[in-house]
Structure formats: structure tokens, C-alpha cells
Amino acid sequence: MGKLTVRALRVVLATVFVGTVFVQVSMVWTLATDPEDGSLPLTPLRLITILGMVSGQVTLVSVWRLVTMVRRGTVFSHAAFRYVDAVIGAIVVAALLWFAVTALNAPGQRDDPGVTVIMGGIGLGILGVALIVLVLRMLLAQAVARDVEATRMRAELDEVI
């Protein structure tokens, strides 16, 4: 991975991280100062937003760490699994939070239940992303196993020579 690519990705990750912190601070401020008007359950939606931002931040930090490992050439190690598992967990949490938003929004959609169905489909799509990352984790596990085996075989060959 080139230096320019790493820098560009880190700028994007840092920018999104700062944006999520801004949204969290705004939501906390709104929770403290803006009362609900009764049309929607705003407090639960605001809390879900804050938690959703935490989920995104976990993903951003984990990707940052994985990019660092790629840059150093250490991504094919057991240490990488911790960050990939964190990404999978954060995506699953995001999907569960989205389902919570869908459930909170559903009573207001009695006249048009299609919105709730679409929102449920989006939640399933988010879970699909978690499954894709899980498949990538399995590929990483195979690569780590092959790297360990290659290192062992190289050591045996060095002994023979």
C-alpha cells in the first residue's frame, strides 16, 4: 500500500471520526436542552444516534489500526483478528440499532407500511455487510495460516541447507 493511499485514507478516516464526534456532541447538547414535542420519540432516537456514532467510531479506529498493520507488513498475524472482530461487532451493533429505529418509526407508518419494510431491508443489508467482513476474516485466517506454514517450512529448509 503506497504512502499516498495511506495518507488519503487516514485523512478520510480522521475527517469522518471528527464528524461523528460533532454529531455526538450535538445530540448530547440536544438531549440536555431541547424537550420533546410529542410527535416522535426523540430521546430514544437521539440515544440511538449517539450509540450509532460509537459503532462507527469503533470501525474507524479498527480500520486505522489495520491500515497501520498493512503499511508495516504485519497484517498477516493473529493481532489483526482483534480489529477485524471489532469491525464485525460494530457493524452488527449498527444493524441492531437500525432495527431499533425501524421499530420506533413503525407506529407512525401505519398508513404506509412499505417504509417499515424498506427500513427492515436496509437493516438486513447492514447485516449482509457484517457477513461480508466475516468472509474476509476467514480469508485472513487462511492467509495467516499459510504465512505461518511458509515460515515453518522456510526454517526447516534453512536447517537442511
Side-chain angles (χ1 to χ4, degrees), residues 3-127:
K3 287 182 180 182
L4 181 61
T5 304
V6 170
R7 285 183 184 153
L9 181 55
R10 286 185 173 167
V11 165
V12 169
L13 292 173
T15 303
V16 173
F17 190 87
V18 169
T20 60
V21 170
F22 176 75
V23 170
Q24 284 175 313
V25 169
S26 299
M27 287 291 120
V28 169
W29 176 261
T30 304
L31 276 171
T33 61
D34 189 21
E36 291 193 29
D37 64 0
S39 62
L40 279 174
L42 293 177
T43 299
L45 290 173
R46 290 171 180 160
L47 291 172
I48 290 170
T49 301
I50 292 168
L51 293 174
M53 295 296 108
V54 170
S55 172
Q57 290 164 345
V58 167
T59 301
L60 293 168
V61 169
S62 297
V63 169
W64 184 288
R65 295 294 301 152
L66 287 167
V67 168
T68 300
M69 293 178 82
V70 167
R71 188 72 184 127
R72 291 181 184 157
T74 60
V75 75
F76 294 117
S77 67
H78 293 286
F81 291 113
R82 170 178 49 226
Y83 302 113
V84 175
D85 291 341
V87 169
I88 293 169
I91 295 170
V92 169
V93 167
L96 294 175
L97 291 170
W98 183 257
F99 287 131
V101 168
T102 302
L104 287 171
N105 188 50
Q109 299 298 325
R110 292 177 205 259
D111 294 335
D112 189 10
V115 172
T116 303
V117 172
I118 291 169
M119 289 178 72
I122 291 169
L124 289 176
I126 296 169
L127 285 175

